[in-house]
Amino acid sequence: METILGSSVPVFVFLTVLVFGGCGVLTGQTLAEGWKPVSSVLAYSLLLGLGDRFLAWGLFGEQLLSLWGFIVHTVVIGLITLTAHRIAIARRMVKPVSVAL
């Protein structure tokens, strides 16, 4: 399992899912507030994936240049970010607009 993840399971759950997943949720919501397209969500997910690999290496001694680790971690972060973006876009579409007279 660690060869596929590129890190140990506790590091994957804590760092990737909790910490960078939370960053992905906030990133997706922020991009949705500005009506940014999905391509920008994917670009920011790649940057979050790079940060995740760097912190996994720096804090926990995991392998820095693990291709499978980068792909798996970035896909997980990207799915979280994309889900948050789509939910926030849908919420903005159905939210009534208040007009000040």
Side-chain angles (χ1 to χ4, degrees):
M1 185 65 131
E2 291 183 8
T3 57
I4 294 172
L5 292 178
S7 64
S8 62
V9 176
V11 170
F12 175 77
V13 170
F14 172 71
L15 191 64
T16 301
V17 176
L18 293 179
V19 174
F20 278 92
C23 292
V25 168
L26 295 175
T27 302
Q29 290 175 351
T30 303
L31 292 173
E33 288 294 319
W35 295 98
K36 301 294 182 188
V38 174
S39 60
S40 63
V41 173
L42 299 177
Y44 281 103
S45 296
L46 284 173
L47 292 174
L48 287 172
L50 287 172
D52 177 62
R53 290 307 306 163
F54 179 74
L55 285 182
W57 169 73
L59 296 175
F60 302 106
E62 303 292 342
Q63 188 177 10
L64 178 62
L65 300 176
S66 170
L67 180 63
W68 280 111
F70 174 72
I71 290 171
V72 169
H73 290 227
T74 304
V75 165
V76 168
I77 293 168
L79 289 174
I80 293 170
T81 307
L82 186 63
T83 303
H85 181 263
R86 299 301 293 171
I87 289 171
I89 287 284
R91 188 177 300 129
R92 281 186 62 103
M93 287 183 186
V94 299
K95 183 178 177 183
V97 177
S98 61
V99 178
L101 296 175

